[in-house]
Amino acid sequence: MTAPSRVIERERKYELVAGSGVPRLVGVAGVEAQEDPVEHVLDASYYDTGTFRLARAGITLRRRVGGPDAGWHLKLPVSADERQELQLPLGGDPHKVPGRFRRLVQAYTLGEKLVPIAHLRTDRFAHRLVGAGGRTVAVLTDDHVTGEAGGETARLDEWRELELELDPSAEPGLLEEFDRALVAAGASASPWSSKLRRLVGDRVQPSARLGEKPTAGDVVVAALREHYGRLQRADIGVRVDAEDSVHQLRVAIRKLRSTLRTFGSIVDRRETAVLVSELQWLGRELSPFRDTEVVEERLRRQLDSLPSELVFGPLRQFLTRHFAREAAEGRGRALAALTGKRYLRLLRGLDVVVEVPPLTRKARKPAKAGLWKPLRKAAAKLRRAEAGARGLSGVELEVALHDVRKKAKRARYAGDLVKPVYGKKVRAWRKNVKALQGTLGEHQDTVVGREVLRQLAVSGHGEGQNTFTFGVLYGRDSARAGSLRERFSVEWERVREGKRPRWLK
């Protein structure tokens, strides 16, 4: 199976006054020469669901013939000026999206069929902007476009636009220098993020934005939409094995689950109970892969910090073999979950909740009147969890502190959601809770780390390894856990006594 190539695309689009020539950019951003234009005729068919699910997410999927990068292109938004572009070569059925791309965008299409929605023909005149040593700094293109969109009513349009795309090796900040020069030369920034959006923009309904006086329901649903969007983006990252993508997916899952549970009086918890349970299932399926990443990274840092005389034998090679097996098993389990029907049902359920949320009567209240009680309940659960940990020791204390950490995380997520509504005092309280959560996270790392070290010592001994070093690290983790518990006690006082609204006391 052909894996897609990946590149980060940094570009901006501009409008030109009719009859204007292409601006000269020699002397701008290190450009020493602006080459004569090379003409390319580009013919592109764009694919989406009938309800424009990809376009609504800022995603472009096309098949392009002509030019130096002919092929299938999947463009994913990174920021206002950046998109990640995945490419597959032409081949196979020209009217059918490659299976690799269909699977990559499943979190957006939810299984809906991808169909042709538009056709664009571009007569492109590309000017290479050359810097010192003949290196490419950017490419300035003068595009003459004819577009046709299908749907209930056909649409034809034609226009001209400039596109300034940085070379992947160029500094991102050069975009600003080019922008100033182009505007000074009479160009104006295009209001459209892509040619496709220019053609079908009014057919793509954006998500509703918060008004000046949002209700409690408005704020909670906006948060759910944000977390759902992050889940969708991280889903693609996991499938292409992007760095940190499993972590980002797990964070999105936790925030969705936490929001649905904490604000169940706003978005009816009876209607979302199954989703909460399924989010918990998905998190469990992803845990082994992510936990392996975290444990291996932490253990290698610990080894690097030891004096060489305390590291016996080829431990790093032993760890590489051990964690490679663990990672392969964890990734296999994660991908099995993401390609199954159960996950697709979960995605569809989340989509319904963010598009047609099951709101309660309390959701109609103004945000300031309707959101303080759920946050106060989350804070109360944190206080009870901390009280339950007092007087414990050993394994019981470790389990109790892990529960405090989970309650702190839920309280922090709730604080994130309401801090724009309640201002500085909630922000200060949330900051203290986050610090406490971080300390308990480090403490849990020592708990998990000691168990892993014990297992490594057993398996290493069976393979004839000298496991003395694992014992040294085990002792260090035990000492570290003690100091972290002391830090937790200090930070808990800050949470209990620090700035916060009266209703959080």
Side-chain angles (χ1 to χ4, degrees):
M1 182 185 296
T2 302
S5 61
R6 285 186 273 173
V7 65
I8 291 294
E9 179 184 76
R10 298 182 178 93
E11 65 179 27
R12 290 186 184 177
K13 298 181 184 296
Y14 298 87
E15 306 282 328
L16 280 175
V17 176
S20 298
V22 175
R24 302 294 295 174
L25 297 175
V26 174
V28 178
V31 173
E32 296 182 356
Q34 181 166 326
E35 294 184 348
D36 291 336
V38 176
E39 184 177 8
H40 301 289
V41 177
L42 312 176
D43 194 278
S45 296
Y46 290 78
Y47 289 78
D48 204 335
T49 66
T51 53
F52 297 99
R53 286 185 174 275
L54 298 184
R56 278 188 280 153
I59 296 173
T60 300
L61 173 59
R62 73 184 177 205
R63 182 183 187 273
R64 175 192 275 175
V65 178
D69 63 345
W72 287 93
H73 303 159
L74 177 63
K75 296 190 177 187
L76 311 168
V78 176
S79 66
D81 297 322
E82 289 188 15
R83 290 189 292 178
Q84 182 181 56
E85 182 173 314
L86 307 180
Q87 301 178 356
L88 286 172
L90 296 173
D93 187 343
H95 306 294
K96 186 177 181 181
V97 177
R100 187 67 183 264
F101 278 175
R102 291 200 307 273
R103 289 187 290 273
L104 282 180
V105 297
Q106 177 187 262
Y108 293 93
T109 64
L110 307 183
E112 288 186 27
K113 188 176 181 180
L114 288 166
V115 296
I117 59 162
H119 178 261
L120 289 173
R121 180 182 173 87
T122 303
D123 196 6
R124 167 167 289 179
F125 299 88
H127 301 255
R128 190 168 78 100
L129 305 180
V130 184
R135 66 181 180 86
T136 301
V137 178
V139 176
L140 179 65
T141 62
D142 179 15
D143 289 346
H144 300 253
V145 187
T146 301
E148 177 182 5
E152 294 182 4
T153 58
R155 171 179 298 168
L156 293 173
D157 198 0
E158 59 182 18
W159 66 92
R160 180 189 178 201
E161 68 180 31
L162 283 182
E163 184 176 288
L164 189 290
E165 180 176 350
L166 288 184
D167 187 80
S169 64
E171 288 293 325
L174 295 181
L175 270 179
E176 294 299 330
E177 292 187 47
F178 283 121
D179 183 78
R180 288 192 291 270
L182 286 166
V183 170
S188 57
S190 173
W192 306 103
S193 59
S194 69
K195 292 178 175 64
L196 178 64
R197 285 302 295 268
R198 179 170 188 153
L199 186 62
V200 302
D202 61 339
R203 301 184 181 186
V204 178
Q205 297 298 321
S207 297
R209 297 194 176 190
L210 288 177
E212 292 185 5
K213 296 181 179 180
T215 65
D218 292 337
V219 174
V220 175
V221 172
L224 288 171
R225 285 200 181 104
E226 179 184 348
H227 304 328
Y228 181 44
R230 289 183 176 180
L231 181 150
Q232 292 172 307
R233 292 190 292 275
D235 173 288
I236 293 181
V238 173
R239 294 173 192 270
V240 299
D241 203 18
E243 184 178 357
D244 201 41
S245 54
V246 177
H247 172 60
Q248 294 302 323
L249 183 54
R250 288 184 70 197
V251 169
I253 291 166
R254 285 197 298 264
K255 287 188 174 182
L256 281 165
R257 184 166 167 256
S258 179
T259 301
L260 290 172
R261 292 180 67 186
T262 303
F263 297 94
S265 61
I266 307 295
V267 177
D268 195 336
R269 61 170 51 90
R270 294 168 300 181
E271 298 291 328
T272 63
V274 172
L275 287 180
V276 170
S277 176
E278 290 299 273
L279 286 166
Q280 185 176 28
W281 158 78
L282 182 58
R284 286 197 304 267
E285 296 303 297
L286 297 172
S287 289
F289 189 26
R290 174 58 182 166
D291 292 348
T292 297
E293 289 181 334
V294 172
V295 170
E296 180 179 12
E297 181 181 346
R298 182 173 182 271
L299 184 51
R300 289 190 182 278
R301 285 201 310 269
Q302 289 177 302
L303 272 179
D304 291 341
S305 71
L306 284 179
S308 59
E309 61 268 21
L310 295 181
V311 181
F312 289 87
L315 288 186
R316 289 180 175 81
Q317 294 90 324
F318 171 69
L319 293 178
T320 297
R321 293 195 304 273
H322 173 82
F323 285 114
R325 292 192 299 267
E326 295 282 318
E329 291 175 6
R331 178 165 177 78
R333 180 173 171 179
L335 290 177
L338 296 185
T339 55
K341 292 181 179 179
R342 185 173 181 177
Y343 176 58
L344 184 57
R345 286 195 298 270
L346 169 58
L347 289 173
R348 288 170 174 165
L350 289 171
D351 194 72
V352 170
V353 165
V354 299
E355 294 299 330
V356 192
L359 299 176
T360 66
R361 290 183 179 179
K362 292 181 180 179
R364 303 171 193 167
K365 291 184 177 182
K368 211 159 195 176
L371 294 176
W372 66 274
K373 282 188 178 180
L375 179 60
R376 186 173 69 173
K377 287 183 179 179
K381 289 179 179 179
L382 172 58
R383 288 196 300 273
R384 288 196 294 271
E386 187 277 335
R390 296 176 196 168
L392 300 179
S393 61
V395 174
E396 288 185 339
L397 176 58
E398 291 173 351
V399 172
L401 288 178
H402 185 44
D403 185 55
V404 175
R405 178 194 175 214
K406 290 190 287 186
K407 297 297 191 299
K409 191 175 293 186
R410 284 185 61 184
R412 172 199 154 197
Y413 290 161
D416 288 341
L417 188 146
V418 306
K419 67 182 179 181
V421 176
Y422 295 112
K424 292 182 179 179
K425 288 186 177 179
V426 162
R427 286 198 291 272
W429 176 84
R430 177 257 180 208
K431 182 179 179 181
N432 289 333
V433 171
K434 182 181 179 181
L436 179 143
Q437 174 202 326
T439 295
L440 292 180
E442 291 183 51
H443 183 270
Q444 182 63 14
D445 286 344
T446 70
V447 174
V448 174
R450 277 177 281 155
E451 177 57 25
V452 170
L453 286 166
R454 188 189 69 80
Q455 294 171 2
L456 287 171
V458 171
S459 62
H461 180 74
E463 293 184 21
Q465 296 284 334
N466 186 325
T467 59
F468 169 83
T469 303
F470 293 142
V472 173
L473 293 178
Y474 189 101
R476 284 191 168 194
D477 260 352
S478 295
R480 176 68 174 158
S483 65
L484 287 167
R485 288 193 290 270
E486 292 176 4
R487 193 168 86 189
F488 161 71
S489 297
V490 173
E491 289 175 341
W492 176 252
E493 288 305 308
R494 291 193 190 125
V495 172
R496 195 168 65 87
E497 300 293 341
K499 289 183 179 180
R500 62 190 188 275
R502 290 183 179 180
W503 43 264
L504 270 180
K505 296 181 179 181

